Amino acid sequence: MNIALWIIQIIIAALFLTTGSLKLVLTKDNLIKVFEWIEDFTEQRLRLIGAFEVLGGLGLFLPGVYSTLQILIPIAAIGLTIIMVMASFVHSKRKETKDLIFNIIVLVLLLLVVAGRLFLIRL
């Protein structure tokens, strides 16, 4: 189970590090070409979301790699879960079904990480 959780954490961390970095580096005009929902947000809000995604992605694996403050892993997963819940509301409002389904899948995986790291398996 520990290996499965690590695989999930690394995949989700890669996802959030990638999308978060894009939101931090690219301009809003360039991001709209990649993500349609971007038009609903200001550039400052996108940067904030990107920063939280990068921090959450780092929090999913760095504490385990360095064996310090391992409680940060489920905390990062909870923070990313909140982001995914809010993203689900945005995609639901915009009737973007494929994005909504993807958000729900990531949300379930994040909840698995939270439950696994808090209650089942400690590093």
Side-chain angles (χ1 to χ4, degrees):
M1 183 70 172
N2 189 37
I3 294 172
L5 283 173
W6 267 111
I7 291 169
I8 292 169
Q9 285 171 227
I10 290 169
I11 291 170
I12 294 173
L15 170 77
F16 280 105
L17 287 170
T18 303
T19 59
S21 296
L22 287 175
K23 291 175 190 119
L24 287 173
V25 173
L26 297 178
T27 64
K28 184 176 178 179
D29 293 334
N30 289 335
L31 284 170
I32 289 175
K33 297 173 188 173
V34 180
F35 307 109
E36 294 176 17
W37 57 268
I38 294 291
E39 60 195 25
D40 292 350
F41 294 88
T42 65
E43 193 151 345
Q44 293 81 13
R45 186 166 290 176
L46 292 172
R47 301 276 186 250
L48 184 64
I49 293 168
F52 283 135
E53 288 179 354
V54 168
L55 289 173
L58 291 173
L60 283 179
F61 73 92
L62 283 182
V65 169
Y66 292 110
S67 297
T68 59
L69 298 172
Q70 294 173 356
I71 190 66
L72 291 177
I73 294 172
I75 291 172
I78 290 168
L80 292 172
T81 299
I82 294 167
I83 290 174
M84 293 313 294
V85 168
M86 291 189 285
S88 296
F89 285 127
V90 169
H91 293 301
S92 176
K93 184 179 88 173
R94 293 177 54 91
K95 301 193 183 342
E96 298 170 338
T97 308
K98 286 194 300 189
D99 292 331
L100 179 61
I101 291 169
F102 180 76
N103 286 344
I104 291 171
I105 291 169
V106 173
L107 179 64
V108 168
L109 292 174
L110 284 165
L111 291 173
L112 182 64
V113 170
V114 171
R117 292 299 178 205
L118 280 179
F119 305 114
L120 299 177
I121 298 174
R122 302 280 177 161
L123 291 176

